[in-house]
C-alpha cells in the first residue's frame, strides 16, 4: 500500500471526519492535503496516526512486512503497558474523547491520564462499560460535553463555538494553560504549528506547579 493510500485508510479506521483529518495533516506538516506532501511528510503523518491508534495490517496474501506495521510487543512490554493503564480503544468518538482527556491532564485537572481512568469516567457518564462501545452520537456527545464542561469549570477553558476546527479547540486549551501559568491572558503566537507538543510542555509545567 502506498503512503497516500495508507493515510486514507488511517482516516477511515480512526473515524476522523474531514475537518479533523485535515487539521491533523496541517498540524503535523503545515499542509492540509496528503497529495501535496513529501515522502517525509507522509511518514510523519502516518507516525502520528499510529500514535492515535491506527494499526496498519498488510494484505493476507502478502508475505512481506509492511513498513508501517508496528513492531510486535513482547509479553513483558504488553504486561508493562497493562500496568500503566493503557488499553486498546476504538470507536468513532474515541479520538476526540481521548484528546479531551489528555487536554485535561495537561491542564492539571485530570489526575490519571491512563485509558483505564478514562473508561471509568465514561462508565459514570453513560453507564456504558467501555468507551469503545460508545457508538450512539447521543452518548458520545454526552461524554464530550461533560469533559469540556469540567475543563471549563476547573481550568477556565473558553471553548470555541460549535463546529470549530480541532486547531481552534487546541488553541483554547493552550490559552487556558498560559493563563494558569502566568495569571494573565496571553496571545498565542500564530507560528506555533505543533500545538500538541507545546501543550504537553505546558502541562508538565502545570503539574510541577501543583505537585
Amino acid at each position: 500500500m502506498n503512503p497516500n493510500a495508507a493515510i486514507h485508510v488511517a482516516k477511515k479506521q480512526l473515524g476522523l471526519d474531514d475537518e479533523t483529518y485535515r487539521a491533523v495533516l496541517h498540524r503535523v506538516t503545515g499542509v492540509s492535503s496528503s497529495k501535496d506532501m513529501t515522502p517525509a511528510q507522509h511518514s510523519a503523518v502516518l507516525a502520528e496516526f499510529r500514535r492515535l491508534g491506527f494499526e496498519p495490517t498488510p494484505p493476507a496474501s502478502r508475505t512481506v512486512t509492511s513498513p508501517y506495521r508496528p513492531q510486535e510487543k513482547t509479553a513483558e512490554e504488553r504486561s508493562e503497558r497493562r500496568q500503566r493503564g493503557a488499553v486498546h480503544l476504538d470507536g468513532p468518538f474515541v479520538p476526540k474523547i481521548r484528546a479531551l482527556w489528555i487536554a485535561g491532564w495537561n491542564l492539571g485537572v485530570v489526575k490519571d491520564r491512563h485509558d483505564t481512568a478514562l473508561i471509568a469516567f465514561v462508565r459514570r457518564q453513560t453507564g456504558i462499560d467501555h468507551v469503545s462501545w460508545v457508538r450512539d452520537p447521543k452518548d458520545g456527545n454526552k461524554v464530550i460535553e461533560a469533559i469540556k464542561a469540567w475543563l471549563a469549570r476547573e481550568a477556565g477553558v473558553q471553548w470555541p463555538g460549535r463546529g470549530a476546527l480541532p486547531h481552534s479547540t487546541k488553541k483554547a486549551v493552550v490559552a487556558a494553560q498560559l493563563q494558569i501559568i502566568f495569571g494573565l491572558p496571553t496571545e498565542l503566537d500564530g507560528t506555533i504549528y505543533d500545538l500538541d507538543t507545546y501543550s504537553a510542555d505546558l502541562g508538565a509545567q502545570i503539574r510541577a506547579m501543583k505537585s
Side-chain angles (χ1 to χ4, degrees):
M1 183 184 300
N2 67 58
N4 193 54
I7 287 172
H8 284 85
V9 170
K11 174 189 175 184
K12 182 176 181 180
Q13 187 184 113
L14 294 172
L16 304 179
D17 59 38
D18 195 57
E19 289 183 346
T20 304
Y21 163 72
R22 293 190 183 282
V24 172
L25 300 190
H26 191 272
R27 170 172 59 77
V28 174
T29 68
V31 299
S32 301
S33 174
S34 61
K35 67 182 180 182
D36 296 330
M37 293 178 190
T38 64
Q41 289 173 324
H42 282 136
S43 297
V45 168
L46 285 166
E48 174 64 6
F49 282 148
R50 288 198 300 274
R51 187 185 71 81
L52 294 172
F54 172 47
E55 295 186 346
T57 303
S61 60
R62 296 183 63 180
T63 58
V64 297
T65 301
S66 166
Y68 306 115
R69 186 178 180 83
Q71 186 176 2
E72 279 299 315
K73 298 286 192 298
T74 65
E76 183 178 350
E77 289 172 327
R78 289 194 297 269
S79 175
E80 181 183 356
R81 179 177 172 85
R82 285 193 297 271
Q83 290 173 9
R84 292 200 308 266
V87 295
H88 175 69
L89 302 179
D90 61 14
F93 298 100
V94 164
K96 190 165 187 177
I97 291 172
R98 184 183 252 157
L100 286 170
W101 191 253
I102 297 303
W105 167 253
N106 286 326
L107 286 160
V109 175
V110 170
K111 303 306 180 187
D112 184 349
R113 65 166 290 169
H114 293 139
D115 294 336
T116 48
L118 173 57
I119 291 169
F121 178 86
V122 170
R123 185 182 300 119
R124 291 194 299 271
Q125 294 296 319
T126 66
I128 297 174
D129 284 336
H130 201 296
V131 66
S132 294
W133 300 342
V134 177
R135 304 282 175 174
D136 189 306
K138 181 175 68 175
D139 292 328
N141 289 330
K142 183 177 180 180
V143 175
I144 289 166
E145 292 305 317
I147 300 176
K148 289 175 71 174
W150 184 23
L151 301 187
R153 183 174 63 253
E154 298 294 331
V157 181
Q158 298 183 23
W159 300 108
R162 186 178 296 275
L165 291 173
H167 189 75
S168 298
T169 299
K170 291 174 183 180
K171 287 178 71 174
V173 171
V174 170
Q177 290 178 292
L178 293 172
Q179 173 79 21
I180 292 169
I181 293 171
F182 297 109
L184 293 171
T186 305
E187 280 293 322
L188 293 185
D189 186 342
T191 63
I192 298 172
Y193 287 111
D194 193 347
L195 285 170
D196 284 340
T197 299
Y198 189 43
S199 182
D201 290 343
L202 294 176
Q205 294 182 50
I206 291 171
R207 290 189 296 276
M209 289 168 54
K210 295 188 175 184
S211 62

